[in-house]
Amino acid sequence: MLFVTGPFQCPTLRVCYADVFLFASQITDSRIRVKMATPLRPQFKKGSLFKLGKMPLYLTASIVMSFGGSFNGLDTGIIGPVSDMELFRKDIATTSAILHGLIVSSVLLPSAIVSIFAGSLVDAVGRPRAVTIGFCVSGLGAAIEAGSIHIAMFIVGRIIIGIGIGLYLSTVVVYICELAPPAKRGVLTTMVQLFAAIGILTGYFISYGTVYISSSLSWRLPLAIQSFLAFLFAAVCVFLPQSPRWLTLCGRHDESRLLWVRLGVCLDGEGAEVIDQREGSESKTNTQEDSTSVLSHSIIRAFKKDVRSPTALAVYYLGMQQLCGIDSILYYAPIIFQQAGITSQKSSFIASGVTAIVIVAVTIPATLKADSWSRRMQTTLGGCLISGCLLLIGILYASGAVHRTSGAARWVVIVTIYLYVISFYVTWGINYKSYPSEIQPPATRATTTSLAQSANWAVNFCVVLVVPIFFASSDSGPYFLFCGLTIINTAILFFIMPEARGRTLEDIHADILHKIPHAGFGRRSVNNAV
């Protein structure tokens, strides 16, 4: 008994015995090998996503990184109300619709330009370090905004924030996408959208809480809080582990295998070998090819014949998504609710805050159920619901039924705006964060996701810039325009989207390359995940 129990009381000897037993089992019986390996290599168990006290490292890292989405949401939630405050207009800007659109949209164009080149930085320094740099830049921009003494200084701060967002936002999704097991990738990547919604809610109510301050602190304080949170999150990101897929692409295969075990993502021998072969071949190709310029190499690689289709689909998917007008509603919510009949600034701020509450309330269950139905079903159903809401609002305004002081039509418009927001955030809002990254091959995932996000911001810049002018000249026109564009976009995506739910990143890309028909529409499951 002493021989049996004594050595196992020593941690070092216990590890040695476990290694011996593991080696012997690998030789004798594959089924025993799996059982023996289980205690030594933590596995992801279905249904244990949020079990406290037993959270694997990949889950902790994904949740922490998801907080990055809250800063983008915070900026969205703050800039709309702040730019509509009377003291802000007195200190910084006039009431011109063109100038208002320029202030709000000035963050988007720098984001779009920087995002084109961000993929190269991400591939060079790694995912967490790139996110850290992006948040430091954004924090600096928010600090400049908070200390602005004239409009030029404020717009410079907005531009710097845009540069930071362009560096980190798409990288956040790429990082989570590369860490998450296939069965839970949809839930974890869409958590970025959940935290963005929480950021919008926080931004609205911070602004609502400071609007009563009778000095410039009313609009400076929300921006100062935004800056502090950006620097705080940058400090946290320093401690996050690298992506094991990024390590493989860099040729650091041994480090990658050890990191998979440390993260708690248990890949069996075959699955690990497949990832090593596919990503290893990508890294060898990248090393052998002429790369005198890392930047040009990364962008050119994303449009080569073997990856051209997923690149084009990702760019189109994220670019056209903004043509439903969702950010116009979020940025200019106080103005839109005033147009619908909520005339006072206080009431319009409250209505905007209720919008943010609704976004958070519907995003939580939508995030948890992200893998319960297919990506194509979410996109198609979402397009139909969004276009229906926009059409109804447009008809009510065009018919002259909406009166700002009386009548039931204005309340129908307000309720429909909420339904429109709900429809977006339970469908398109969930999909667009994860899908462009899911369909990319490892070697171009960061670059292509950045290019797609760049397209999103470029289109959004044009939309947000002209919407105040459009609303000033027509109550119904913007809604009809967004409705028509949404219908066209939904029809195109219905025919060209391959399914990605529940599949490994490598299998998704292999199917696209070989033009294998998509699997699943609705609630059908794809059971070939590692």
Side-chain angles (χ1 to χ4, degrees):
M1 291 296 296
L2 179 62
F3 176 78
V4 175
T5 60
F8 282 89
Q9 293 176 357
C10 174
T12 304
L13 290 178
R14 186 162 61 244
V15 173
C16 293
Y17 272 93
D19 289 338
V20 171
F21 291 156
L22 178 61
F23 176 76
S25 64
Q26 288 175 336
I27 298 175
T28 56
D29 190 345
S30 60
R31 288 174 294 180
I32 298 178
R33 182 182 72 239
V34 173
K35 294 180 180 179
M36 292 292 293
T38 300
L40 299 177
R41 302 184 67 183
Q43 293 192 69
F44 176 82
K45 295 182 179 180
K46 185 177 181 180
S48 64
L49 182 60
F50 297 105
K51 188 175 289 185
L52 297 179
K54 298 182 179 180
M55 187 177 292
L57 180 58
Y58 83 84
L59 182 55
T60 303
S62 297
I63 293 175
V64 171
M65 186 62 83
S66 296
F67 275 100
S70 64
F71 183 86
N72 189 48
L74 189 67
D75 181 75
T76 302
I78 286 176
I79 191 60
V82 162
S83 61
D84 198 46
M85 291 182 182
E86 293 181 3
L87 286 173
F88 176 83
R89 292 179 176 179
K90 179 181 178 182
D91 296 338
I92 297 295
T94 65
T95 56
S96 166
I98 297 176
L99 193 57
H100 192 186
L102 179 62
I103 291 173
V104 174
S105 63
S106 57
V107 75
L108 298 171
L109 189 59
S111 298
I113 295 173
V114 171
S115 188
I116 296 174
F117 314 109
S120 300
L121 175 65
V122 174
D123 287 335
V125 303
R127 298 7 178 176
R129 292 173 186 170
V131 172
T132 301
I133 295 171
F135 270 95
C136 288
V137 174
S138 294
L140 176 62
I144 293 174
E145 279 186 324
S148 296
I149 57 176
H150 50 74
I151 187 171
M153 185 176 177
F154 191 86
I155 291 178
V156 168
R158 296 289 294 161
I159 291 173
I160 294 175
I161 288 179
I163 293 172
I165 292 176
L167 288 174
Y168 78 76
L169 189 58
S170 60
T171 310
V172 166
V173 181
V174 169
Y175 178 79
I176 299 172
C177 191
E178 292 184 340
L179 257 62
K184 295 298 179 181
R185 188 174 59 244
V187 174
L188 292 177
T189 53
T190 53
M191 284 184 66
V192 178
Q193 185 61 42
L194 172 61
F195 283 107
I198 294 174
I200 294 172
L201 174 64
T202 305
Y204 276 138
F205 280 100
I206 287 176
S207 302
Y208 177 73
T210 62
V211 71
Y212 299 104
I213 300 176
S214 58
S215 68
S216 64
L217 194 63
S218 62
W219 61 267
R220 294 185 191 276
L221 183 57
L223 299 171
I225 294 173
Q226 182 180 352
S227 176
F228 169 76
L229 293 176
F231 284 116
L232 178 63
F233 187 74
V236 172
C237 286
V238 173
F239 300 98
L240 292 177
Q242 286 286 3
S243 163
R245 283 185 164 93
W246 177 79
L247 291 174
T248 302
L249 288 175
C250 294
R252 297 155 64 178
H253 302 282
D254 292 338
E255 293 180 59
S256 175
R257 293 189 188 95
L258 290 174
L259 185 53
W260 278 121
V261 177
R262 183 184 165 214
L263 288 169
V265 180
C266 185
L267 300 175
D268 58 28
E270 183 181 355
E273 183 180 355
V274 167
I275 289 180
D276 280 345
Q277 287 177 349
R278 290 178 178 172
E279 296 191 347
S281 63
E282 295 279 1
S283 64
K284 291 177 183 178
T285 301
N286 292 341
T287 302
Q288 292 169 358
E289 289 179 355
D290 180 23
S291 56
T292 54
S293 170
V294 176
L295 172 61
S296 60
H297 168 74
S298 299
I299 296 177
I300 292 172
R301 180 73 181 87
F303 287 96
K304 286 193 173 182
K305 185 176 181 180
D306 58 334
V307 295
R308 190 180 302 155
S309 295
T311 297
L313 177 57
V315 171
Y316 176 83
Y317 188 86
L318 270 186
M320 297 300 102
Q321 178 262 349
Q322 282 297 333
L323 292 180
C324 72
I326 183 63
D327 276 4
S328 302
I329 302 294
L330 299 180
Y331 280 128
Y332 302 116
I335 295 175
I336 290 174
F337 283 116
Q338 288 175 16
Q339 183 188 50
I342 302 179
T343 54
S344 70
Q345 185 181 70
K346 176 181 177 181
S347 298
S348 65
F349 271 36
I350 293 175
S352 303
V354 172
T355 303
I357 294 174
V358 169
I359 291 172
V360 173
V362 301
T363 302
I364 292 173
T367 298
L368 296 177
K369 294 295 182 180
D371 285 314
S372 298
W373 52 336
S374 78
R375 311 292 193 252
R376 291 181 70 245
M377 183 61 177
Q378 288 175 321
T379 301
T380 305
L381 179 61
C384 294
L385 294 175
I386 291 168
S387 58
C389 292
L390 291 170
L391 180 62
L392 176 58
I393 296 173
I395 290 174
L396 288 173
Y397 275 119
S399 64
V402 181
H403 303 285
R404 299 193 178 189
T405 56
S406 62
R410 63 177 181 148
W411 295 110
V412 175
V413 168
I414 292 170
V415 171
T416 308
I417 289 173
Y418 287 130
L419 291 177
Y420 162 82
V421 171
I422 292 171
S423 300
F424 178 87
Y425 275 94
V426 299
T427 56
W428 285 20
I430 295 298
N431 252 1
Y432 93 98
K433 288 293 184 184
S434 60
Y435 187 77
S437 294
E438 288 181 307
I439 63 176
Q440 303 307 318
T444 60
R445 185 173 296 124
T447 298
T448 302
T449 305
S450 296
L451 288 173
Q453 189 64 63
S454 176
N456 178 276
W457 281 319
V459 175
N460 198 16
F461 170 78
C462 298
V463 172
V464 173
L465 182 63
V466 302
V467 157
I469 305 171
F470 206 170
F471 273 123
S473 59
S474 173
D475 290 337
S476 62
Y479 297 105
F480 284 131
L481 176 62
F482 291 142
C483 175
L485 293 173
T486 301
I487 292 173
I488 295 172
N489 187 34
T490 302
I492 293 173
L493 289 174
F494 177 81
F495 290 104
I496 66 175
M497 277 184 68
E499 185 51 56
R501 178 177 62 121
R503 311 174 71 188
T504 66
L505 303 181
E506 292 73 26
D507 285 341
I508 295 169
H509 178 59
D511 280 0
I512 293 176
L513 290 183
H514 293 90
K515 299 182 180 179
I516 297 177
H518 58 80
F521 185 86
R523 300 185 61 88
R524 290 176 59 193
S525 177
V526 181
N527 298 318
N528 58 347
V530 173

